[in-house]
Amino acid sequence: MIEVFRSEDRGRGLRATTDLRKGTLVLTSAPFAYVLSKKQKGIRCDHCLNKQTTLLRCSGCKYMKYCNRECQKGAWSSHKSECTALKRVEPKIPPDFVILLSRILWKLKSTDDNWSENLVSVVDLESNYTLLSDDQKEALGQFVIVMHSYWGQGALPVQVPDIKAVLELCSKIKNNSFAISDEEMQADIGTGVYLSCSLLNHSCDPNCVAEFDEMNINIRAIKDISKGEELLISYVDVFAPSEDRQKDLMDIYKFSCRCNLCRTKKHDRSMLQDFKSSMTISKQNSVKDLLHELHNLCDARNFQQIYNITSGYVEREYLPVENIYMTKILDFAMDAAIELKMFGRAFQHGAAALHAYRKYLDESHPLTGLQIMKLGKILLYQEKNEDALQMLLEALKILQITYSKTGIIMQSLTKLVAQCQVELRHKNLGE
Ligand SMILES: [Zn+2]
Ligand SMILES: [Zn+2]
Ligand SMILES: [Zn+2]
């Protein structure tokens, strides 16, 4: 179905060897190594990454937490050496990246060959170390120092003989790791290295998207792909104007994108609507600061504050709804209103934001489907069952392209549709 090839300008890539229909699962992969994000500690299992109300603590390090014995057993091969290291440095817990990198090194050490998946091996990953800024190199150096104290005496494995090799590996992992997103593609819950998937190149208008099933990754086509066409995913938030996307790509991956959307700057004018006065830059910067603040408040689960702040912007129609930053403000406003059980408001904000989803994203993009699903759920809470059913069915049509039937999203969506249909039937019988 797919093969590795060398593209003219993007290095190695993956391309289709047959025509692929929209919705095809083109690649699925278990992680070579992965780590749960610190922010999700105590909320999700360190092994399967599922949410749990009660978690079992590792009796050794008391840091890793699991659903049950089975998950603990599953984690043990990657946790064994780590458990000792964590105990030694406790209560100082190293950053997520150091934990991830160490897991990779321990795994490389414990296998004779350079453990490889069918398409690529860890040492084969592309590094961009030479392109990093001095600050970025310095930051990687810091990681290596932390890692040494975490590992203890003379613990570097044979495959990485010197500091330069470790730095190269750091850069390879930074360059090739995936943010593992939650079921609703809203928050990053961890970081993983998926060897074959790291061959996928970037486009801001991708023909494939990644979706996660516990710690495993699934890559699915969101467009019909012809034989010979390259498979592409987006490395950055596609819900952003080209200047923001280009900046993110350059900062992290050190390349500038030449996809169709970037070349034509399609959507930019509309996404940046109303940033046209001489105040453009300062207004744009202040709205970015605002979004940053909202993110932090969201992490702190301070929804009342988010609601208070966003209400002001929404009420005075600070920016047109098609402006991409306004869309993000509206999304924060919707989520806060849901948490505060103000469903009428939540629907209003979410529906306003949906304009931008429909306008800027591919019709099969899961983010649009997820937004519609949220709106359907709100209508269901409000007992507006007929409208709810319509929205939920639309969400189902979009999301079944990118989500597996057995996953949490599709299961809960199918349940919501059924619930809606039952309630409508009751109502009809009652009349
Ligand atoms: Zn432990
Ligand atoms: Zn688990
Ligand atoms: Zn692009």
Side-chain angles (χ1 to χ4, degrees):
M1 193 158 54
I2 54 170
E3 65 180 4
V4 184
F5 78 113
R6 188 156 280 282
S7 71
E8 276 168 32
D9 50 349
R10 286 188 283 228
R12 284 172 310 174
L14 292 176
R15 70 181 166 197
T17 53
T18 52
D19 288 345
L20 300 171
R21 287 190 67 82
K22 178 156 99 172
T24 308
L25 177 64
V26 291
L27 193 57
T28 176
S29 166
F32 180 76
Y34 65 104
V35 62
L36 175 74
S37 144
K38 248 184 202 169
K39 279 183 194 160
Q40 296 287 329
K41 269 278 152 193
I43 301 172
R44 290 174 184 268
C45 169
D46 273 292
H47 179 63
C48 70
L49 308 182
N50 283 329
K51 255 188 187 164
Q52 288 297 346
T53 38
T54 49
L55 290 161
L56 203 78
R57 224 163 43 155
C58 168
S59 57
C61 60
K62 306 213 168 29
Y63 182 67
M64 294 300 163
K65 298 191 176 81
Y66 308 102
C67 300
N68 47 38
R69 294 256 165 251
E70 215 174 295
C71 279
Q72 183 168 26
K73 256 196 202 153
W76 188 242
S77 63
S78 77
H79 181 56
K80 202 171 127 204
S81 310
E82 171 184 87
C83 194
T84 322
L86 284 168
K87 256 190 295 191
R88 193 182 43 249
V89 295
E90 195 251 352
K92 259 205 247 155
I93 301 297
D96 292 344
F97 185 65
V98 169
I99 293 187
L100 175 67
L101 201 69
S102 302
R103 284 181 180 176
I104 292 167
L105 291 170
W106 273 310
K107 186 158 177 173
L108 286 173
K109 191 181 184 180
S110 69
T111 39
D112 288 337
D113 60 347
N114 289 311
W115 195 94
S116 63
E117 217 172 66
N118 42 0
L119 299 177
V120 70
S121 73
V122 173
V123 275
D124 267 357
L125 294 176
E126 282 175 27
S127 152
N128 58 8
Y129 186 73
T130 49
L131 301 174
L132 297 182
S133 68
D134 288 347
D135 285 353
Q136 287 172 317
K137 283 184 183 161
E138 165 80 27
L140 285 188
Q142 287 298 330
F143 278 127
V144 175
I145 294 170
V146 175
M147 206 166 68
H148 270 281
S149 69
Y150 174 48
W151 279 54
Q153 285 298 313
L156 282 187
V158 281
Q159 282 91 338
V160 276
D162 58 51
I163 181 88
K164 195 166 169 285
V166 180
L167 285 170
E168 276 287 333
L169 188 68
C170 279
S171 151
K172 284 179 181 178
I173 301 308
K174 278 254 176 216
N175 201 21
N176 289 285
S177 55
F178 283 75
I180 303 175
S181 57
D182 66 0
E183 299 77 13
E184 286 164 350
M185 294 192 179
Q186 282 215 315
D188 294 340
I189 57 168
T191 310
V193 176
Y194 301 88
L195 295 174
S196 304
C197 299
S198 62
L199 291 169
L200 289 161
N201 285 318
H202 163 89
S203 167
C204 306
D205 184 18
N207 52 19
C208 292
V209 292
E211 169 250 332
F212 294 87
D213 179 10
E214 299 191 333
M215 66 288 233
N216 303 316
I217 196 170
N218 295 320
I219 307 288
R220 283 197 170 77
I222 48 166
K223 297 178 196 249
D224 291 333
I225 299 172
S226 327
K227 179 180 173 182
E229 209 181 311
E230 181 167 13
L231 307 180
L232 300 161
I233 55 169
S234 177
Y235 294 176
V236 294
D237 183 8
V238 286
F239 223 37
S242 58
E243 59 188 270
D244 289 6
R245 302 195 306 265
Q246 293 283 359
K247 187 180 175 301
D248 287 349
L249 288 168
M250 190 47 85
D251 277 356
I252 309 167
Y253 305 100
K254 307 296 171 194
F255 68 86
S256 61
C257 179
R258 281 181 284 159
C259 79
N260 210 18
L261 284 184
C262 286
R263 279 203 313 265
T264 58
K265 296 196 183 297
K266 193 182 166 193
H267 299 321
D268 277 9
R269 254 170 96 100
S270 173
M271 280 187 174
L272 298 171
Q273 248 182 84
D274 214 34
F275 281 158
K276 51 188 174 233
S277 67
S278 56
M279 298 291 283
T280 305
I281 300 293
S282 67
K283 192 164 184 181
Q284 205 172 339
N285 284 340
S286 74
V287 80
K288 280 181 186 171
D289 289 344
L290 169 72
L291 287 168
H292 189 71
E293 187 190 347
L294 293 173
H295 268 291
N296 291 340
L297 287 168
C298 196
D299 284 343
R301 301 190 59 78
N302 192 343
F303 297 110
Q304 187 63 53
Q305 183 71 356
I306 295 176
Y307 185 79
N308 297 347
I309 295 177
T310 52
S311 293
Y313 285 91
V314 175
E315 266 155 36
R316 65 194 153 92
E317 296 177 359
Y318 180 64
L319 291 165
V321 288
E322 283 87 5
N323 182 298
I324 202 74
Y325 300 106
M326 191 62 188
T327 309
K328 290 177 195 259
I329 294 174
L330 284 165
D331 274 340
F332 275 111
M334 167 179 66
D335 289 339
I338 291 175
E339 293 288 337
L340 301 171
K341 304 210 161 26
M342 299 164 77
F343 296 119
R345 277 295 175 87
F347 186 83
Q348 211 182 328
H349 300 326
L354 183 61
H355 286 294
Y357 284 83
R358 291 201 198 273
K359 189 164 179 172
Y360 304 132
L361 295 179
D362 192 276
E363 57 174 5
S364 306
H365 202 287
L367 287 177
T368 310
L370 289 165
Q371 183 81 353
I372 297 171
M373 177 177 169
K374 246 187 210 176
L375 292 170
K377 251 163 125 174
I378 297 172
L379 290 170
L380 197 57
Y381 282 126
Q382 294 180 296
E383 296 178 23
K384 295 181 177 167
N385 295 329
E386 262 155 50
D387 295 341
L389 184 62
Q390 213 182 344
M391 290 229 122
L392 293 171
L393 288 174
E394 193 189 350
L396 192 72
K397 208 172 135 203
I398 299 174
L399 293 175
Q400 67 192 3
I401 295 168
T402 42
Y403 280 95
S404 64
K405 275 199 186 79
T406 50
I408 291 176
I409 286 289
M410 285 309 278
Q411 295 229 332
S412 72
L413 188 50
T414 324
K415 237 187 247 168
L416 288 169
V417 168
Q419 184 191 339
C420 219
Q421 282 165 335
V422 167
E423 275 169 38
L424 278 172
R425 219 170 296 140
H426 277 189
K427 191 181 149 230
N428 289 339
L429 286 175
E431 268 166 12

